[in-house]
Amino acid sequence: MAAPIVTLATSADLPNLDADEAGLPDALRARGIEPRIAVWNDPNVDWSASDLTVVRSVRDYATDREAFLAWAGSVPRLLNQANLMEWNSDKHYLKELGERGLPVIPTTWLEADVEYSKHQIHTRFPAHGDFVVKPAVSSGGRGTGRYTATDAMSRADAIKHASHELRHGRSVMVQRYLSETDRSGELSIVYLNGLPAYSVEKKAMLHPRFRSVDEVQDEDVVTSSPASEQEFRWGEQIRSVLHKYISEKCGRDELLLYNRVDIVRGIREGESEFYVMEISLMDGSLYLSADPENLNKFADAIAVRAFW
């Protein structure tokens, strides 16, 4: 029996995958799989020659989302599935999940097809505390900035930032910055083939004057460990809402190869225990180098699907 061919899809600026995933080809080879790496928009790649294609370091998808989604729709046996990546590549999905009862960070949406005056943008910012401005379609923290509501200069910069994104046809998210993020950081729960595999604690990435225009931002992992009972409970609440939505959207419950959920804890009385910051079904790091077992678990998950 020939070894199944698994192609790992990446971007032109990461032709050998992200450094976090450098050990993945060898791990797959050790499991009887022939691994290949290919750039998603390379016209010379025959994607039908693979038994399975796994989307990984496609950090540039947001710069040409339509072309990326057209490519995804043309690839046989793609994981995660193309229709789910289309949904996940626009962060309006948070609005949909919030309407279904999932606790998401409070967000105001500025839509690209509406002409806003500077005053109208100004009135949509919070009156107190810090807040974040970012485009609804982005990858790796590009186009993200943190601002202070009560600082006139910071607020003016936020207006310029939002106006810039809107002028380029990109819808904008304005999110309240949760102060607990600075104290306890962010938490990512990684699911593999529908099951909780591990969790990662990360330092807060957005310092008070943070602004990322073009460069992908590196995340600082603090610890990686199996999901705790509390994290498992939170993850199951998120997974239940997500998979119910997927089932309704697709007519069936698609089994995700991987799913990373980023959350921040809530601390105020009467608030939720946690808030969902992001759900990543495509390009988000899985922190494979944070613990050797993370790499092995992901390779095992791919092998299950490759030999399915």
Side-chain angles (χ1 to χ4, degrees):
M1 180 180 177
I5 299 171
V6 172
T7 298
L8 305 171
T10 186
S11 54
D13 57 340
L14 294 169
N16 296 311
L17 300 177
D18 184 275
D20 184 62
E21 301 166 336
L24 187 55
D26 285 343
L28 293 177
R29 198 172 289 112
R31 288 160 173 78
I33 293 170
E34 180 184 337
R36 297 178 181 176
I37 303 172
V39 174
W40 71 267
N41 52 0
D42 183 345
N44 298 314
V45 177
D46 179 8
W47 298 96
S48 64
S50 300
D51 296 290
L52 184 68
T53 297
V54 177
V55 175
R56 286 314 308 132
S57 310
V58 292
R59 303 290 166 78
D60 60 348
Y61 82 83
T63 62
D64 196 349
R65 179 172 176 258
E66 288 186 9
F68 174 78
L69 294 178
W71 165 81
S74 72
V75 178
R77 288 211 70 194
L78 182 73
L79 294 178
N80 283 317
Q81 297 83 348
N83 57 344
L84 298 180
M85 288 194 291
E86 178 178 6
W87 171 77
N88 191 234
S89 62
D90 185 329
K91 292 182 178 61
H92 278 89
Y93 69 78
L94 289 171
K95 183 177 182 180
E96 299 176 38
L97 294 178
E99 291 170 350
R100 290 170 176 264
L102 200 62
V104 299
I105 293 180
T107 302
T108 298
W109 300 88
L110 302 176
E111 301 301 348
D113 58 356
V114 178
E115 292 188 8
Y116 299 94
S117 66
K118 289 183 178 180
H119 177 72
Q120 288 173 322
I121 294 174
H122 163 80
T123 60
R124 284 161 173 78
F125 292 160
H128 303 283
D130 283 11
F131 62 96
V132 175
V133 173
K134 58 185 175 182
V137 176
S138 66
S139 176
R142 290 186 180 95
T144 299
R146 176 178 169 182
Y147 303 96
T148 300
T150 54
D151 183 287
M153 289 294 293
S154 182
R155 203 173 181 92
D157 287 342
I159 293 173
K160 291 178 183 177
H161 180 178
S163 299
H164 171 80
E165 299 295 340
L166 291 167
R167 279 198 307 271
H168 286 80
R170 295 185 284 264
S171 294
V172 169
M173 308 166 64
V174 180
Q175 293 184 316
R176 181 164 65 91
Y177 186 82
L178 301 183
S179 58
E180 180 62 14
T181 309
D182 289 332
R183 286 187 285 273
S184 59
E186 302 172 12
L187 174 70
S188 291
I189 303 174
V190 176
Y191 278 71
L192 300 175
N193 285 330
L195 300 174
Y198 52 89
S199 64
V200 172
E201 296 269 3
K202 300 177 293 183
K203 291 182 180 178
M205 185 176 71
L206 305 183
H207 58 76
R209 292 181 177 83
F210 179 92
R211 175 73 190 279
S212 170
V213 180
D214 297 316
E215 295 182 359
V216 173
Q217 298 302 304
D218 294 327
E219 296 173 301
D220 191 356
V221 174
V222 179
T223 60
S224 177
S225 62
S228 68
E229 181 178 346
Q230 182 186 55
E231 292 160 5
F232 178 82
R233 176 167 53 82
W234 291 349
E236 280 300 291
Q237 182 178 338
I238 298 165
R239 188 198 63 80
S240 177
V241 174
L242 176 62
H243 280 258
K244 183 177 181 181
Y245 176 81
I246 289 173
S247 180
E248 293 176 7
K249 180 178 177 66
C250 302
R252 61 187 185 281
D253 191 356
E254 300 274 13
L255 181 61
L256 303 170
L257 171 62
Y258 57 88
N259 173 22
R260 190 189 94 188
V261 179
D262 296 342
I263 65 177
V264 61
R265 297 167 179 84
I267 57 169
R268 296 179 183 175
E269 185 178 351
E271 285 191 342
S272 297
E273 290 184 285
F274 69 92
Y275 290 94
V276 174
M277 301 180 68
E278 187 171 347
I279 293 176
S280 181
L281 308 183
M282 39 195 305
D283 69 312
S285 173
L286 298 179
Y287 312 113
L288 302 183
S289 60
D291 186 313
E293 280 307 301
N294 295 357
L295 175 66
N296 289 325
K297 289 175 181 178
F298 189 43
D300 286 341
I302 293 175
V304 167
R305 304 298 285 270
F307 288 102
W308 202 317

